[in-house]
Amino acid sequence: MLALVVSLAAAEGTMRWIYRDVTSTADSRGSFTLKWLRADVRHNHDGDRGAEFDEAKPAGVYCVAVMGDSFTYGNGVAEASRYSNLVADAVRGRGIEVLNVGFPGNNWTEHVQTLERRVLRLRPDVVLLQ
């Protein structure tokens, strides 16, 4: 029995070393994601990943709110590589603001709650659900 426990512990340690550069899995509470969250992720005052943004929609600005799960949140990738950031970069200077309110693990119930509690008060012109 002791040999089995030691073998499993050694296998676990070896696999963590082999996959030490992996930063994402589908499990938002897995060890890879938790390690990545401690190292590379910033959140604003509302808990959204990324920079602070003004909740009052500026006059003359077309606002796109992006909702979703870990893909939208950008689980395991640099903030600048999230698709919402890439879209924001592509439309920069055109009077369009892209806000990301995605969160890992969200499903339909959480999307509805996010829409009701958070997104609608931002008064977006478009809500994109990924």
Side-chain angles (χ1 to χ4, degrees):
M1 182 60 131
L2 180 61
L4 177 62
V5 170
V6 171
S7 296
L8 288 173
E12 174 73 17
T14 301
M15 295 308 284
R16 286 181 185 240
W17 183 81
I18 289 171
Y19 294 106
R20 66 189 175 278
D21 295 326
V22 174
T23 58
S24 181
T25 65
D27 180 4
S28 65
R29 291 175 183 83
S31 64
F32 294 124
T33 298
L34 294 176
K35 176 183 166 187
W36 169 75
L37 283 169
R38 286 190 300 269
D40 298 329
V41 180
R42 68 178 173 151
H43 291 93
N44 63 28
H45 77 281
D46 247 350
D48 299 317
R49 181 179 178 199
E52 296 289 339
F53 54 81
D54 198 359
E55 292 212 2
K57 184 176 145 186
V61 172
Y62 190 86
C63 181
V64 178
V66 183
M67 298 174 43
D69 56 14
S70 57
F71 289 105
T72 302
Y73 181 83
N75 203 38
V77 300
E79 186 178 322
S81 298
R82 298 183 306 172
Y83 74 85
S84 60
N85 290 67
L86 298 174
V87 170
D89 290 345
V91 299
R92 189 171 323 285
R94 298 181 185 176
I96 301 172
E97 179 179 42
V98 180
L99 307 176
N100 185 318
V101 294
F103 192 79
N106 277 7
N107 58 34
W108 184 252
T109 302
E110 288 84 14
H111 295 319
V112 171
Q113 290 172 351
T114 300
L115 181 67
E116 292 173 346
R117 295 179 186 164
R118 173 90 174 100
V119 175
L120 292 179
R121 76 175 194 236
L122 298 172
R123 300 192 166 290
D125 296 290
V126 170
V127 176
L128 174 63
L129 175 59
Q130 177 278 322

